């Protein structure tokens, strides 16, 4: 277990998991470009020892692989899993009290420890003293990508009712007054958003502390979706194997004594400023929008502080390993929250939130002549009403019957669904609802739709493994390619607005209908580049589900409505880039060329690629 971030770094280096970069590196795009290249190669954590414009060091790719992450937490992993399992299923303790007594003891020993208001070890600095890392060419400024943002409930103060979350923080750029103002990007339903709402009602500013660094367990605790009643600060102590140590400064702001850096400040009622753009985890830029502005009070740093950071972009990235860790730690939490579900898999390659695959059980109609989804739809609605899962746009859910199913074999799962689904009966829309704030495929910020594809029962069709004749030599639509069994990608013409797109899709649907039935190809994806989309499973998942809004971009061959229900013979998803979509993330070629020297025979990263 580590008491500091540097202790972790030294341990990783001793065990071959970390490389030091001695050369001066520019935080303007170069550090992020190096990180992305090393992560893609499955390389080690990186310690940047010489950062242009800052006297502080920085570390990235700490959590770049699941294996390295579990190595970091090797001493506390099992005990932390046990405590979370008890929170998910308290009956375990009653059934086997002696087996679980250690988990309860671990939780008690992990309670946060207040160490008074002594600020020894910290010195006061300015925002502009920090490593101001700009990640992507169009980013609005420098961002903190691994912050631990702390706020207390205005109605119930104290650390055990506090929230510790990971919300991105913009340090420079836009209209922020240098050193005095920074931006916080979060949604109102998140923990800090609830605290801010309460403070606004009281007409009071909300005190916020941003911790950066410290033991790696503190970073992971800020992103964990914990069971109700399990404090992030308690979790931080569990996973670190050491109680979270804190105090308050002279202005009344909470200070993590273990952090490398602390930024304190206040969010005043109604004060927002434009935040962004920012290259985000969907693989596009999140654009400029008003978000809460924080007035900076004090910035503190330890003497030899180290700044941890990551780079987000089109998945997989380092946050993919975060997701895998969370899944392992939380185990069967979703089974406890959603009865009847076997598993839910948020697909990382599709940007996590846009696409969910799920398995449930169909027990409502086991003896009817015609099997159809019933309990599955109840489960699906529970899934789409649960926490972060509610941000999903596409949910494919199947009933596990005689054949064991797994959502982690994505290709086989899609085939299972498409072999069994009744496209006239088993597609269910939710329109004019909320989606991820970072998803620009919808009709406005946070506005979009959802669709459920549900399947159970016997196999209804054989899926095509070659392009059907009906999709060849269509006017204005070209280059049809097989993506997966039963799924064909085809390129479409350019368009200016949804009215033009709708007309084109109607023409495509009618052309296919006139050529005859095509049940072996239940899904067609209209795209800009079918060669790219069909090149890999990840390309299909990313393009199809990040560039479409179900209500606006789903069409059907021979589609109709019956008693308000839409159905069709073949689904067409329009995954072309729309005029209102955010631009994709593209690396700067000049920066890529500059960093090549680090990977040559004389560079610190020689031999890594």
């Amino acid at each position: 277990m580590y008491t500091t971030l540097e202790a972790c770094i030294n341990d990783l280096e001793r065990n071959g998991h970390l490389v030091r970069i001695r050369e001066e590196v520019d935080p303007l795009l170069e550090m992020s470009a190096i990180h992305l290249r090393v992560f893609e190669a499955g390389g080690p954590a990186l310690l940047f020892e010489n950062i242009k414009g800052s006297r502080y060091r920085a570390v990235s790719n700490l959590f770049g692989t699941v294996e390295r992450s579990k190595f970091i937490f090797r001493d506390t992993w099992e005990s932390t899993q046990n405590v979370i399992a008890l929170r998910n299923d308290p009956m375990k303790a009653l059934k086997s009290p002696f087996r679980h007594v250690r988990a309860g003891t671990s939780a008690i020993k992990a309670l946060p420890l207040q160490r008074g208001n002594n600020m020894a070890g910290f010195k006061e600095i300015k925002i502009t003293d920090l490593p101001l890392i700009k990640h992507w060419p169009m980013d609005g400024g420098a961002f903190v990508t691994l912050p631990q943002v702390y706020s207390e409930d205005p109605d119930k103060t104290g650390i055990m009712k506090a929230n510790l979350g990971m919300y991105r923080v913009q340090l420079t750029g836009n209209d922020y007054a240098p050193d005095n103002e920074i931006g916080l990007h979060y949604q109102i339903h998140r923990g800090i958003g609830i605290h801010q709402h309460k403070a606004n009602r009281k007409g009071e500013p909300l005190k916020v502390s941003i911790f950066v660094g410290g033991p790696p367990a503190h970073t992971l605790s800020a992103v964990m979706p914990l069971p109700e009643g399990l404090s992030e600060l308690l979790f931080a102590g569990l996973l670190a194997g050491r109680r979270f140590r804190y105090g308050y400064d002279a202005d009344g702001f909470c200070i993590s004594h273990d952090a490398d850096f602390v930024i304190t400040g206040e969010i005043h009622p109604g004060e927002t400023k434009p935040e962004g753009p920012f290259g985000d985890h969907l693989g596009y830029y999140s654009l400029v929008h008003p978000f809460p502005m924080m007035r900076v009070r004090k910035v503190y740093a330890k003497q030899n502080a180290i700044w941890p950071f990551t780079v987000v972009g089109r998945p997989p990235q380092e946050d993919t390993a975060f997701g895998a860790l969370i899944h392992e730690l939380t185990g069967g939490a979703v089974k406890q929250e959603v009865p009847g579900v076997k598993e839910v898999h948020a697909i990382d390659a599709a940007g996590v939130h846009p696409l969910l695959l799920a398995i449930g059980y169909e027990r409502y109609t086991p003896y009817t002549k015609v099997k159809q989804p019933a309990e599955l739809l109840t489960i699906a609605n529970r899934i789409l009403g649960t926490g972060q899962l509610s941000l999903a746009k596409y949910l494919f859910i199947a009933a596990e019957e005689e054949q064991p199913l797994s959502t982690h074999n994505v290709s086989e799962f899609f085939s299972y669904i498409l072999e069994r689904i009744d496209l006239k009966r088993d597609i269910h829309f939710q329109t004019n609802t909320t989606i991820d704030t970072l998803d620009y495929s919808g009709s406005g910020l946070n506005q979009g739709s959802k669709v459920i594809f549900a399947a159970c029962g016997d196999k209804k069709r054989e899926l095509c493994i070659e392009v059907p004749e009906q999709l060849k030599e269509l006017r204005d639509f070209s280059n049809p390619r097989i993506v997966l069994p039963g799924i064909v990608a085809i390129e479409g013409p350019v368009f200016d607005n949804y009215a033009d797109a709708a007309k084109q899709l109607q023409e495509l649907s009618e052309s296919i209908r006139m050529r005859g039935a095509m049940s072996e190809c239940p899904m067609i994806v209209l795209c800009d580049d079918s060669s790219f989309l069909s090149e890999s499973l990840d390309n299909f998942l990313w393009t199809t589900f990040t560039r479409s809004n179900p209500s606006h971009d789903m069409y059907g061959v021979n589609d109709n409505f019956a008693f308000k229900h839409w159905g069709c013979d073949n689904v067409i998803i329009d995954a072309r880039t729309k005029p209102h979509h955010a631009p994709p993330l593209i690396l700067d070629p000049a920066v890529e060329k500059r960093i090549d020297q680090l990977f040559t025979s004389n560079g610190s990263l020689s031999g890594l690629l």
Side-chain angles (χ1 to χ4, degrees):
M1 62 184 181
Y2 312 113
T3 59
T4 65
L5 178 56
E6 184 149 33
C8 172
I9 287 168
N10 292 337
D11 183 41
L12 290 177
E13 185 176 35
R14 284 193 299 271
N15 288 278
H17 292 296
L18 180 135
V19 170
R20 295 172 183 261
I21 299 176
R22 303 177 302 274
E23 297 90 339
E24 183 183 72
V25 179
D26 196 329
L28 179 62
L29 303 182
E30 288 186 1
M31 291 174 68
S32 60
I34 294 164
H35 166 98
L36 288 168
R37 196 179 292 189
V38 171
F39 170 82
E40 187 176 1
L46 302 172
L47 182 65
F48 295 83
E49 294 190 314
N50 189 359
I51 299 172
K52 185 177 180 179
S54 178
R55 63 178 165 300
Y56 295 105
R57 296 167 293 166
V59 65
S60 77
N61 208 30
L62 277 177
F63 307 100
T65 67
V66 174
E67 292 73 24
R68 182 157 62 249
S69 300
K70 293 184 79 169
F71 175 82
I72 290 171
F73 302 122
R74 61 193 182 277
D75 294 331
T76 57
W77 185 262
E78 185 178 351
S79 60
T80 303
Q81 274 187 315
N82 290 338
V83 172
I84 292 178
L86 281 186
R87 299 297 304 191
N88 288 333
D89 186 6
M91 289 300 294
K92 285 184 178 179
L94 295 178
K95 293 174 183 176
S96 307
F98 296 107
R99 185 188 307 169
H100 295 287
V101 69
R102 288 179 61 189
T105 303
S106 296
I108 293 170
K109 288 183 177 179
L111 289 169
L113 177 65
Q114 187 167 359
R115 297 292 297 271
N117 302 334
N118 185 356
M119 295 297 294
F122 284 103
K123 65 178 292 186
E124 193 172 336
I125 63 169
K126 299 181 295 184
I127 292 289
T128 46
D129 293 323
L130 300 170
L132 298 175
I133 304 168
K134 183 176 178 180
H135 298 80
W136 292 96
M138 289 173 54
D139 279 359
F143 284 82
V144 191
T145 50
L146 290 179
Q148 307 153 40
V149 183
Y150 176 94
S151 62
E152 295 187 6
D153 188 330
D155 294 334
K156 301 174 183 177
T157 57
I159 199 161
M160 292 307 291
K161 296 293 183 180
N163 177 73
L164 193 72
M166 189 172 286
Y167 317 113
R168 77 177 187 233
V169 181
Q170 185 169 349
L171 297 175
T172 63
N174 296 359
D175 298 328
Y176 300 118
D179 289 318
N180 295 308
E181 296 173 350
I182 60 177
L184 292 178
H185 181 114
Y186 56 84
Q187 288 79 51
I188 195 67
H189 68 278
R190 306 297 291 271
I192 188 174
I194 295 169
H195 291 172
Q196 185 195 352
H197 178 67
K198 290 183 177 183
N200 288 350
R201 285 194 309 177
K202 292 172 172 280
E204 301 172 352
L206 179 69
K207 289 181 180 292
V208 175
S209 300
I210 300 168
F211 312 138
V212 182
H218 295 187
T219 299
L220 185 59
S221 69
V223 77
M224 280 291 297
L226 296 171
E228 187 69 27
L230 180 56
S231 158
E232 291 92 356
L233 286 310
L234 175 63
F235 176 84
L238 281 169
L239 195 57
R242 181 174 181 268
R243 298 170 74 176
F244 182 91
R245 287 154 166 75
Y246 74 100
Y248 292 87
D249 70 4
D251 298 321
F253 290 89
C254 185
I255 305 296
S256 166
H257 286 192
D258 297 317
D260 286 70
F261 300 88
V262 180
I263 304 170
T264 66
E266 295 175 331
I267 301 173
H268 287 252
E271 287 193 349
T272 63
K273 280 198 172 184
E275 185 265 1
F278 178 74
D280 226 311
H281 71 270
L282 292 181
Y284 307 92
Y285 287 95
S286 58
L287 303 180
V288 177
H289 297 286
F291 275 95
M293 182 269 289
M294 180 172 129
R295 299 185 194 179
V296 176
R297 181 68 69 90
K298 297 281 180 66
V299 184
Y300 303 104
K302 292 281 181 65
Q303 182 65 35
N304 295 307
I306 300 171
W307 183 265
F309 75 97
T310 189
V311 183
V312 292
R314 180 188 161 179
Q317 298 293 345
E318 188 177 358
D319 51 0
T320 300
F322 268 133
L325 284 174
I326 289 168
H327 180 76
E328 284 204 37
L329 279 170
T330 56
V334 71
K335 296 180 184 179
Q336 299 297 323
E337 195 154 357
V338 184
V341 72
K342 176 190 173 185
E343 63 185 51
V344 177
H345 183 191
I347 302 299
D348 183 72
V352 180
H353 293 144
L355 175 63
L356 299 179
L357 306 182
I359 298 170
Y361 301 100
E362 193 54 72
R363 299 167 294 191
Y364 288 0
T365 56
Y367 306 114
T368 56
K369 291 182 180 179
V370 179
K371 286 186 177 181
Q372 69 180 66
E375 185 177 8
L376 283 186
L377 300 181
T378 302
I379 295 168
N381 285 318
R382 286 287 297 270
I383 290 171
L384 292 177
T386 300
Q388 295 293 299
L389 300 179
S390 66
L391 300 177
K393 295 185 299 185
Y394 288 87
L395 170 58
F396 288 76
I397 184 168
E400 183 171 87
E401 296 170 292
E402 293 85 6
Q403 176 180 337
L405 278 179
S406 171
T407 59
H408 293 274
N409 188 324
V410 175
S411 299
E412 286 188 6
F413 188 79
F414 266 99
S415 293
Y416 187 90
I417 291 265
L418 295 177
E419 286 171 345
R420 288 161 177 77
I421 193 167
D422 183 336
L423 296 175
K424 291 189 178 296
R425 183 192 66 196
D426 297 336
I427 300 175
H428 304 269
F429 286 92
Q430 296 180 9
T431 60
N432 295 317
T433 186
T434 56
I435 59 174
D436 189 353
T437 301
L438 307 177
D439 190 332
Y440 286 87
S441 67
S443 52
L445 183 66
N446 231 168
Q447 298 174 348
S449 61
K450 307 180 189 300
V451 66
I452 299 164
F453 289 78
C456 69
D458 301 326
K459 186 174 175 179
K460 294 179 173 62
R461 62 182 67 83
E462 294 293 333
L463 301 176
C464 64
I465 55 175
E466 295 181 355
V467 175
E469 290 298 319
Q470 295 93 322
L471 297 179
K472 296 177 180 178
E473 298 181 0
L474 290 164
R475 187 168 65 88
D476 297 330
F477 300 91
S478 60
N479 197 23
R481 297 291 187 98
I482 281 284
V483 180
L484 295 173
I487 303 176
V488 173
I490 191 167
E491 292 173 16
V494 296
F495 62 98
D496 294 325
N497 52 54
Y498 267 124
D500 289 345
K503 184 177 179 181
Q504 292 170 355
L505 267 295
Q506 288 164 4
E507 292 173 357
L508 174 61
S509 301
E510 183 60 17
S511 296
I512 296 171
R513 188 189 71 79
M514 294 291 288
R515 290 174 170 228
M518 194 177 59
S519 65
E520 73 278 13
C521 181
M523 182 178 290
I524 302 159
V525 181
L526 186 62
C527 61
D528 301 315
D529 184 347
S530 55
S531 297
F532 170 81
L533 187 146
S534 61
E535 186 178 56
S536 68
L537 177 62
D538 282 0
N539 285 358
F540 159 66
L541 296 169
W542 181 64
T543 303
T544 304
F545 299 106
T546 65
R547 295 183 184 176
S548 60
N549 174 22
S551 61
H552 288 54
D553 297 322
M554 274 182 57
Y555 296 81
V557 176
N558 198 28
D559 64 336
N560 60 11
F561 285 91
F563 303 108
K564 314 300 186 299
H565 185 84
W566 181 85
C568 63
D569 290 340
N570 313 88
V571 169
I572 305 175
I573 299 176
D574 185 357
R576 295 176 293 176
T577 302
K578 316 299 188 301
H580 64 281
H581 284 185
L585 303 179
I586 300 172
L587 292 165
D588 185 322
V591 173
E592 292 297 297
K593 188 173 181 179
R594 286 204 304 272
I595 68 171
D596 284 344
Q597 61 182 331
L598 275 76
F599 298 89
T600 62
S601 58
N602 295 321
S604 294
L605 302 178
S606 172
L608 281 187
L609 303 183

